[in-house]
Amino acid sequence: SDSDENGSFSTTLDSQDDSKAVAIIKSVGELSVPEKYKSTHQIRPIYAFPVSQDKEERCRHVLSYVLKGLKAVDGSIKKESDLPAADPNTPIPLKYEDGSKAVEKGIALLLDRGWPSLTPSRRMIPGSWQHRMKLQLFFKASKAYYVLSDAATNLLKYGRALRYIKLALQCHDAYCSVSSTLHSRVLLFHSQCLSLCGDIQLMLAQNASNRAAYLEEYSYQTREDQEVLHSLHRESSCQAFNMASDLATDPEYQLFVSSKCYEAAYELLTSGVVKEHGPEQLAQVLKRLGNIRNEIGVFYMNQAAAMQTEKEVKKSVSIAEQEIWKKSFSCFEKGMKDFEAIEDSTNTSLLLCNTGRLMRICAQAHCATSADLSRGEFSPEESLYYNKAIDYYLRAMRSLATRGNHPAVWDSVNWELSTTYFTLATLLQDYAPLSRKAQEQIEREVTEAMLKSLKYCDLQTESARQPLYQYRAATIHHRLASMYHSCFRNQVGDEHLRKQHRSLAELHYSKAVLLFLSLKDAPCELLRTLLERVAFAEFTMAGQSSSGAKLKTLTGALDILTDTRHAFLLIHKELLEDYTELTRHLDSGTDGTTSSGLNTIEVMKLIGVFEPSFSFLLLQLVKLMTAMKRKPSNKDEELLKTYKNVYSKILRAEKTAPLLSRIELFLDLLQQLTPKTGSGDLGASS
């Protein structure tokens, strides 16, 4: 039904103006009311027109009738136009300009035509039936092309969609050339056309890989469309919206055009004539504005990240990088304001999250590296931008308020916040700024950042990120344990502080081991943590004087070392899988790479620490137990015999043996030290 706009475009016919009129119809919408017909001739019986169920076919029917109507109107108008006669068989080229001047001119025209300048036709008398009928026909053609464009968009045929929305806008341009006033409903519909055009340009930018297919769709024209265009050109050049509806080749430019379409739609909807008629449409346009500004912000942010990877040696931040950051940040800020205007907290938090990511890119850019790729101390600029990133992530969480409002976004922000705290703490620990901060202050800041990262490690919620959180939590505990281990070794004088560091190191080592044990893909990390814990026990023993205390510490250290069996079982399993896969590749003659992520070089390094530590503990235990003055029990004698046997085998072990053979030996020796566990563990794990 078109009753709404028909009310504003009355098509009342006066019998004096047209003596051949069959009926006087106040509006086309009243055709369904037979009583309103006033006929001077006998009216033929009404018959039912077939109505297609296909939307595109129905629009094509509309356009065919519109074209017939336009031809009828044009035929009745005296040839007073200055335009040369158009050949309906000649296609009208779909031109598009490049260059900054054309862009500037196009933007100005687009924003100006959002509020069109009305230039009444010189070919028709305002108020004549031809004038009123052309208004109706141009508007109906515009609506039909809009529906066709929307349908093509839903089918992902973006080239076709852009062609149709171009035609819809050209119809509107011709309408403006004929009309002396614009009704609010026409302006509302025009804002819809601009919004759809913005949507299509955005989709084209995001699907640049299909540009050839879209160009083919866009360039195609039906004869009917050509004839409609020729009729439009009788009243207008139809160039006003070329900038908005041309098919460009640059994604950045397409994003820019999309934003300008939305801005023009927004200007229309906030103007005095339309303001009170489209509150729902205004909210949709604001959402689109927020979205496109986010898209452009992400586009520039990715450019900034790419610029970093292209730099071989990072010395200082370039002017070009800073300009890209400013563009990205400006887009994110504008987008946030758009979403805040419609109280869209979810999308606001997403833009805050993206701004946080931008701040991290800025921080990474301030990391100076030399020609040998070594980096210096953690800089104040890095700290500044990482802390800015944290502020944006915290704002994003406050915007969401609770996880229940949008779990997926909440979890994403939570992960990014934990990651930023972890990165900050890691860089501060590994590249400590000792030239400007005291060691104790750095340790406090590292601990604070690590614990905050740990706070946001969601170990309870089952999700794809849960293993990543477990790994990060284990790594945090391991790093804190290593730091307190180092503090304990280096602390002199303050015995209370040494005890505190010792207890904290033991606490974090035990938590790290438990978390690494729960993971099935971190055997090297588990082995490294256990070996550090053994070294911590060995250092503790070195400061003890009594044989009883030393024996207790050594026994505890050996218990820790026997836990390495879990790590060796995982390594053994992966090596077997790699060996089987490699054999299969060699048999089939294909590439001999394996899918395992096991770092054998790292395994060899850790074995280089494990073997001497293992033999040292066994030797010290044998010495202490042999030197004991009291008579040993049968259990002690059995243990001593086992220790000597294992020590003898570890000394005679072939250092050049294959890695798999060496690990099988370690598993066998560790099994001998844990008789209570039985021999089922190896079979069950492998």
Side-chain angles (χ1 to χ4, degrees), residues 42 57 265 300 308 376 381 413 443-444 473 512 580 635 671:
Q42 187 177 357
E57 193 177 340
Y300 288 131
Q308 281 185 35
E381 292 80 12
V413 176
E443 287 165 5
R444 282 196 301 272
T580 305
K635 184 179 178 182
Q671 181 62 40

Side-chain angles (χ1 to χ4, degrees), residues 333-391:
E333 273 206 319
K334 288 176 182 176
M336 278 185 265
K337 288 177 182 176
D338 294 328
F339 287 127
E340 284 167 357
I342 55 174
E343 298 180 348
D344 188 339
S345 60
T346 302
N347 279 315
T348 301
S349 66
L350 280 172
L351 263 76
L352 285 164
C353 195
N354 280 340
T355 311
R357 185 180 161 219
L358 176 64
M359 294 300 108
R360 283 161 62 188
I361 289 171
C362 296
Q364 290 158 14
H366 283 91
C367 158
T369 56
S370 59
D372 61 352
L373 299 179
S374 62
R375 61 156 291 162
E377 291 183 352
F378 186 62
S379 67
E381 292 80 12
E382 286 177 274
S383 177
L384 172 69
Y385 280 110
Y386 276 119
N387 279 296
K388 280 187 175 183
I390 287 165
D391 288 341

Side-chain angles (χ1 to χ4, degrees), residues 60 94 145 149 158-168 170 216-222 225 245:
R60 281 290 163 199
L94 298 170
Y145 282 125
S149 179
Y158 301 123
R160 187 196 302 175
L162 187 63
R163 171 164 54 88
Y164 283 138
I165 202 64
K166 183 183 185 79
L167 287 162
Q170 286 173 323
E216 186 178 349
E217 292 171 8
Y218 180 74
S219 303
Y220 175 79
Q221 269 191 322
T222 66
D225 292 339
S245 56

Side-chain angles (χ1 to χ4, degrees), residues 410-465:
W410 177 275
D411 291 345
S412 180
V413 176
N414 195 76
W415 169 259
E416 297 297 338
L417 186 54
S418 175
T419 301
T420 309
Y421 274 125
F422 180 72
T423 305
L424 174 64
T426 302
L427 292 171
L428 198 56
Q429 187 176 24
D430 294 347
Y431 307 99
L434 293 168
S435 63
R436 55 191 175 86
K437 287 185 179 182
Q439 179 71 35
E440 293 78 10
Q441 184 184 353
I442 293 169
E443 287 165 5
R444 282 196 301 272
E445 289 180 10
V446 168
T447 303
E448 183 183 357
M450 285 289 188
L451 291 177
K452 283 181 177 176
S453 177
L454 195 61
K455 174 187 173 184
Y456 293 104
C457 282
D458 186 358
L459 302 175
Q460 309 305 321
T461 306
E462 288 188 11
S463 66
R465 286 198 182 102

Side-chain angles (χ1 to χ4, degrees), residues 28 294 416 581 628:
V28 178
N294 177 56
E416 297 297 338
E581 192 175 345
M628 284 175 64

Side-chain angles (χ1 to χ4, degrees), residues 504-684:
L504 285 169
E506 288 175 346
L507 172 69
H508 287 293
Y509 272 133
S510 63
K511 287 186 175 183
V513 168
L514 285 171
L515 283 163
F516 279 132
L517 280 169
S518 69
L519 297 166
K520 301 297 181 187
D521 57 353
C524 290
E525 290 85 345
L526 174 59
L527 186 55
R528 189 184 302 109
T529 305
L530 288 166
L531 291 174
E532 279 187 28
R533 200 176 181 191
V534 169
F536 182 66
E538 289 174 2
F539 181 78
T540 304
M541 185 202 69
Q544 294 172 333
S545 54
S546 70
S547 298
K550 284 187 176 184
L551 185 62
K552 185 178 179 181
T553 302
L554 282 169
T555 305
L558 191 63
D559 287 341
I560 292 167
L561 203 65
T562 54
D563 284 340
T564 60
R565 191 166 173 274
H566 296 281
F568 283 124
L569 280 168
L570 291 170
I571 293 169
H572 182 265
K573 182 183 177 183
E574 289 197 34
L575 285 172
L576 276 177
E577 288 173 355
D578 282 358
Y579 178 75
T580 305
E581 192 175 345
L582 189 60
T583 304
R584 189 170 64 251
H585 283 309
L586 292 172
D587 290 342
S588 62
T590 56
D591 181 28
T593 57
T594 60
S595 58
S596 169
L598 184 67
N599 187 339
T600 51
I601 296 172
E602 182 68 16
V603 172
M604 292 296 291
K605 286 180 181 177
L606 291 169
I607 285 175
V609 177
F610 170 80
E611 276 187 318
S613 180
F614 195 12
S615 57
F616 173 79
L617 287 179
L618 290 168
L619 179 61
Q620 295 304 312
L621 279 166
V622 168
K623 283 182 178 179
L624 276 174
M625 292 177 77
T626 305
M628 284 175 64
K629 293 179 180 179
R630 64 179 178 81
K631 185 181 178 181
S633 64
N634 292 336
K635 184 179 178 182
D636 289 340
E637 287 182 351
E638 190 67 33
L639 270 175
L640 184 59
K641 183 180 176 182
T642 302
Y643 292 157
K644 285 180 178 179
N645 180 45
V646 172
Y647 179 66
S648 174
K649 287 182 179 179
I650 200 79
L651 284 180
R652 294 199 306 270
E654 184 59 57
K655 301 293 188 289
T656 58
L659 181 58
L660 191 63
S661 301
R662 295 180 74 185
I663 287 171
E664 285 173 348
L665 173 65
F666 298 151
L667 286 169
D668 178 53
L669 297 177
L670 291 166
Q671 181 62 40
Q672 291 180 40
L673 295 174
T674 53
K676 290 182 180 179
T677 59
S679 59
D681 284 2
L682 178 57

Side-chain angles (χ1 to χ4, degrees), residues 46 48 125 127 129 177-178 208 248 250 280 384 493 537:
I46 297 171
I125 301 168
W129 72 269
S177 297
V178 173
D250 178 16
E280 291 180 9
L384 172 69

